[in-house]
Amino acid sequence: MRELLQLLTACIGALGFALLYNTRGINVLFAAVGGLLGWAAFLGAGVLWGPNDYIGGFAASVMLTVYAECMARIRKTPVTVFLVCGAIPLVPGAALYRAMKYLTAGNIQMFREQSAYALLFAASMSAGIMVTTIIFRLCWSFIAKDAKEKRRRI
Amino acid sequence: MPGLTRQEAERYLYYAMEIGEAMLLCGAEVGRVEDSIRRICIAYGARRVDVFTITSSIVTTVYGEEFLSCTQTRRVSSMKNDLSRLNALNCLSREICEKKLSAEEIASRLEAIQSTPGYPFPVQAALYAVVSAAFCIFFGGSWEDMLVSAAIGVCLKFVESFLQKGSSNPLLIALLCAATGGLLSNLAVSAGFGNSSDSISIGNIMLLIPGMAFTNSIRDIFSKDMITGLVRFVEAVVLAIAVALGFTFANFL
């Protein structure tokens, strides 16, 4: 139940941000699906490899980046449009908030724990985006037969 | 095709820079900006193009047979994420490279793109409410917290647009917005609305955290645009910490 609710809210959150960043037309929906897929991968990784949030964050951003790169080529739109909105649910806002709350309350032990979590989660998410972008573009340059298609800026 | 005259070269370079600057303002990665300017200049017959872009500046020199060399610079000061404008500019630059539009045509197309309005204020306020509500539930808040978070989200939009009229410092605006959000959530809980001011604030915090700047900075760093990547990364981290601190500020009172 909680998982379903999270999937739904991740989707709505990504949709909201797509609109706040002034996305127009059908791309708004595709951006929202990105948020949903990313969180689905997070939950899926939890089922497959046990509850490790860092692996989940990595899996989520791998999934999201593959989706965004594919959509960018299909829709002939910059990757940013799909990637950025879908990545919003993966931003560790809650951990950051708690870290600062413990810091101001003088609870250094918990501050360390929460800020390390926020930092590592952000790092694993960025690692996922990077690794996937590089590998995807490498593969794409082999797949795209047409030289013009290859050079096209996405 | 005969070489460009000095005047033509300056004119086309001006429009290439105009497009590049607009892209940077909407939140494009530096690589995309440099690539677009380079492609446009080469399409109009430049022999060599050197572009250097960081978050706050663009410098381009083009070389050609007849006009020798021509340099223009831009100082880019503000930034406002706008993905539909970015998309339109991207399409325009592709079209320019394919069809070699005339200078007047580029000017009118740019004008049209720049004057496309964003979503109206009430829609944006509603979106703030929706996003806050969604992330409040996402991070495990209760339904009651969700409603309070949505209401505070709307307030934050008003506070933000009020502050934006007075100041152009994004750090200050974010800090004050965050402090207001923290204060309102504590007030709401002590007045009996909502269960936990933490869950409420966590919904609101997502509005102010610079997710896009963070994602873009990572992409910049790994596409070898180290300076911009690092600048944007530090900006995003400082802003995120300021926001989180602002929300917890109310706990002192």
Side-chain angles (χ1 to χ4, degrees):
Chain A
M1 183 59 198
R2 178 166 155 72
E3 281 73 20
L4 274 180
L5 216 54
Q6 278 198 326
L7 281 177
L8 182 70
T9 48
C11 187
I12 295 173
L15 183 107
F17 262 96
L19 290 169
L20 279 179
Y21 290 147
N22 199 19
T23 315
R24 300 273 163 165
I26 192 80
N27 283 348
V28 176
L29 288 183
F30 288 126
V33 171
L36 181 89
L37 281 177
W39 201 253
F42 178 92
L43 295 173
V47 173
L48 281 178
W49 296 297
N52 182 330
D53 282 4
Y54 307 128
I55 294 177
F58 185 82
S61 60
V62 167
M63 180 81 181
L64 173 66
T65 313
V66 170
Y67 172 77
E69 294 272 349
C70 290
M71 284 316 293
R73 282 163 176 81
I74 296 168
R75 303 275 314 150
K76 298 206 170 38
T77 304
V79 184
T80 323
V81 175
F82 306 106
L83 189 65
V84 167
C85 303
I88 296 286
L90 301 176
V91 174
L96 193 67
Y97 171 80
R98 288 195 200 101
M100 289 302 147
K101 193 188 147 202
Y102 290 125
L103 180 67
T104 50
N107 188 343
I108 300 299
Q109 176 67 35
M110 288 303 283
F111 163 69
R112 268 206 207 132
E113 209 169 278
Q114 290 292 333
S115 55
Y117 174 86
L119 215 69
L120 280 175
F121 194 86
S124 55
M125 168 203 151
S126 351
I129 294 181
M130 280 340 302
V131 170
T132 320
T133 307
I134 292 168
I135 294 177
F136 192 97
R137 300 225 160 150
L138 200 66
C139 296
W140 180 257
S141 67
F142 288 119
I143 296 167
K145 283 159 255 145
D146 185 0
K148 199 180 160 199
E149 188 73 12
K150 239 188 240 183
R151 278 201 312 271
R152 182 181 280 157
R153 171 174 73 243
I154 297 290
Chain B
M1 185 189 140
L4 293 170
T5 64
R6 174 93 203 170
Q7 224 170 9
E8 281 172 325
E10 281 185 6
R11 204 154 173 220
Y12 285 122
L13 179 56
Y14 173 83
Y15 284 115
M17 296 290 276
E18 200 72 349
I19 291 172
E21 184 186 9
M23 277 183 160
L24 201 56
L25 284 174
C26 312
E29 320 92 280
V30 163
R32 180 185 305 280
V33 174
E34 291 187 350
D35 195 49
S36 301
I37 295 178
R38 185 178 306 117
R39 276 164 200 273
I40 292 171
C41 292
I42 285 181
Y44 285 106
R47 194 158 47 84
R48 176 180 169 166
V49 185
D50 288 307
V51 195
F52 176 68
T53 308
I54 54 174
T55 20
S56 50
S57 163
I58 308 175
V59 182
T60 310
T61 302
V62 292
Y63 302 88
E65 307 294 341
E66 270 174 43
F67 61 90
L68 301 176
S69 78
C70 173
T71 303
Q72 288 180 17
T73 64
R74 289 290 166 100
R75 173 75 167 92
V76 184
S77 48
S78 65
M79 193 166 150
K80 194 177 181 311
N81 297 326
D82 187 332
L83 294 175
S84 80
R85 188 172 290 175
L86 172 60
N87 191 14
L89 288 164
N90 204 42
C91 292
L92 175 62
S93 92
R94 266 189 203 169
E95 207 179 316
I96 290 173
C97 293
E98 270 164 32
K99 296 182 192 159
K100 290 201 193 172
L101 305 178
S102 70
E104 292 76 25
E105 218 168 328
I106 299 175
S108 69
R109 291 283 299 273
L110 255 176
E111 179 67 37
I113 291 173
Q114 300 282 33
S115 59
T116 321
Y119 288 104
F121 185 82
V123 177
Q124 292 200 16
L127 285 172
Y128 266 51
V130 169
V131 169
S132 310
F135 283 113
C136 184
I137 293 295
F138 183 80
F139 286 112
S142 68
W143 296 105
E144 208 179 331
D145 291 340
M146 180 193 89
L147 292 177
V148 180
S149 191
I152 294 178
V154 175
C155 296
L156 284 183
K157 180 68 205 170
F158 280 96
V159 173
E160 192 183 25
S161 69
F162 173 73
L163 288 172
Q164 270 165 351
K165 276 173 202 149
S167 159
S168 60
N169 184 343
L171 202 61
L172 188 70
I173 293 174
L175 195 63
L176 289 174
C177 274
T180 316
L183 212 59
L184 285 175
S185 76
N186 275 17
L187 281 178
V189 171
S190 53
F193 302 105
N195 304 320
S196 137
S197 68
D198 286 356
S199 308
I200 297 171
S201 289
I202 285 169
N204 293 135
I205 204 174
M206 296 302 282
L207 286 173
L208 301 172
I209 281 187
M212 180 159 175
F214 181 73
T215 319
N216 269 347
S217 76
I218 295 159
R219 286 162 58 75
D220 279 328
I221 288 176
F222 282 88
S223 39
K224 291 188 291 179
D225 293 309
M226 273 295 165
I227 301 177
T228 304
L230 285 176
V231 169
R232 276 185 180 167
F233 182 77
V234 173
E235 262 176 10
V237 169
V238 170
L239 200 60
I241 292 176
V243 167
L245 269 177
F247 268 104
T248 52
F249 172 73
N251 296 343
F252 281 129
L253 303 177

